[in-house]
Amino acid sequence: MKVLGILGSPRKGGNSELLLDKVLSGARSKGYDTEKLALGELKFSPCTECGGCDETGVCVIEDDLQPVYQKLDQARAVIIASPIFFGSLPAQVKAMIDRYQCRWVRKFVLGKQGRPFPQEGYLILVSGANRDKFFKNAESIVKNFFAVLNIKFKGYLYCPGIDEKGKVLEHPDYLNKAYELGKKIIARR
Ligand SMILES: Cc1cc2nc3c(=O)[nH]c(=O)nc-3n(C[C@H](O)[C@H](O)[C@H](O)COP(=O)(O)O)c2cc1C
């Protein structure tokens, strides 16, 4: 059973990654296989509105996002871990989400079913400031994304006041919550 962690931060070893690693290690402690995908390491285009998915619901852009579609389809749970950038999600995360327009087409235009098993989604956010509306803004985008993919939004951890690289290591409360969140993933096997 696969738990997929998607790292939205371009900063390797940054706060989102440290939190994501904790979530994934909590999931592993419960016997799940985990995989981490760092969007910052992938080379992919944003959606170009080319219409290539109009008839099939399949994205025609051949780049590093193609394996992501497969991995996400096969995962039982997905965790997006990301910083807040300008009150929202970083471009890397938004670009990935926009590339799922093909799945919107598949679902709402072509009327095709998704995968035959349920999926759960979780969101981890960090930000330098403490502005609830930034978290809510990012959350609404991710909830929309999960809804299109029929992924149930099951939990979140929002960590304000975390700015410098590695700062979250000074906050064992956040790290513990991330680990506990990982342990709670997937009630339904
Ligand atoms: C381009 C950019 C934009 C940012 N915008 C915000 C912002 O709008 N609000 C905020 O609280 N923090 C903002 N930050 C701070 C990051 O959210 C913060 O440093 C976070 O800990 C980075 O997480 P990471 O180490 O996982 O990349 C921004 C940082 C960058 C680099």
Side-chain angles (χ1 to χ4, degrees), residues 9 11 14-17 83-87 126-129 134 162-163:
S9 172
R11 182 155 72 173
N15 299 310
S16 310
E17 184 162 28
I84 294 291
F85 278 6
F86 278 84
V126 285
S127 75
F134 293 165
I162 305 289
D163 212 349

Side-chain angles (χ1 to χ4, degrees), residues 97-140:
I97 289 175
D98 288 352
R99 284 283 296 278
Y100 274 85
Q101 175 65 5
C102 54
R103 297 301 177 89
W104 185 92
V105 168
R106 189 169 91 176
K107 182 176 176 180
F108 293 109
V109 179
L110 305 175
K112 290 190 182 158
Q113 293 288 346
R115 79 200 66 75
F117 56 84
Q119 282 182 306
E120 298 183 350
Y122 298 81
L123 178 61
I124 313 292
L125 294 171
V126 285
S127 75
N130 189 354
R131 296 277 294 277
D132 195 46
K133 80 178 181 188
F134 293 165
F135 292 131
K136 288 290 167 208
N137 191 29
E139 179 188 283
S140 83

Side-chain angles (χ1 to χ4, degrees), residues 68-81:
V68 177
Y69 293 116
Q70 279 174 22
K71 287 177 195 291
L72 207 151
D73 280 347
Q74 287 160 9
R76 288 289 173 148
V78 57
I79 303 114
I80 295 178

Side-chain angles (χ1 to χ4, degrees), residues 27-186:
R28 279 195 299 277
S29 78
K30 291 289 179 183
Y32 293 106
D33 289 334
T34 64
E35 181 170 352
K36 182 168 64 177
L37 270 177
L39 294 180
E41 291 175 357
L42 306 181
K43 294 209 179 329
F44 64 97
S45 159
C47 176
T48 59
E49 273 197 294
C50 66
C53 62
D54 284 355
E55 312 294 328
T56 61
V58 176
C59 181
V60 296
I61 304 176
E62 286 297 336
D63 62 14
D64 288 356
L65 210 71
Q66 289 297 340
V68 177
Y69 293 116
Q70 279 174 22
K71 287 177 195 291
L72 207 151
D73 280 347
Q74 287 160 9
R76 288 289 173 148
V78 57
I79 303 114
I80 295 178
S82 174
I84 294 291
F85 278 6
F86 278 84
S88 183
L89 294 165
Q92 289 85 346
V93 183
K94 187 60 167 54
M96 177 196 74
I97 289 175
D98 288 352
R99 284 283 296 278
Y100 274 85
Q101 175 65 5
C102 54
R103 297 301 177 89
W104 185 92
V105 168
R106 189 169 91 176
K107 182 176 176 180
F108 293 109
V109 179
L110 305 175
K112 290 190 182 158
Q113 293 288 346
R115 79 200 66 75
F117 56 84
Q119 282 182 306
E120 298 183 350
Y122 298 81
L123 178 61
I124 313 292
L125 294 171
V126 285
S127 75
N130 189 354
R131 296 277 294 277
D132 195 46
K133 80 178 181 188
F134 293 165
F135 292 131
K136 288 290 167 208
N137 191 29
E139 179 188 283
S140 83
I141 297 166
V142 169
K143 278 186 168 169
N144 188 358
F145 171 58
F146 284 166
V148 168
L149 298 185
N150 299 325
I151 297 173
K152 195 167 167 36
F153 187 88
K154 284 278 287 192
Y156 63 90
L157 175 62
Y158 301 155
C159 306
I162 305 289
D163 212 349
E164 299 82 21
K165 184 176 181 179
K167 183 77 178 173
V168 75
L169 294 173
E170 295 170 23
H171 292 262
D173 49 333
Y174 290 150
L175 297 169
N176 288 340
K177 280 182 183 164
Y179 186 74
E180 291 303 317
L181 188 145
K183 279 170 57 181
K184 283 191 199 126
I185 282 175
I186 312 183

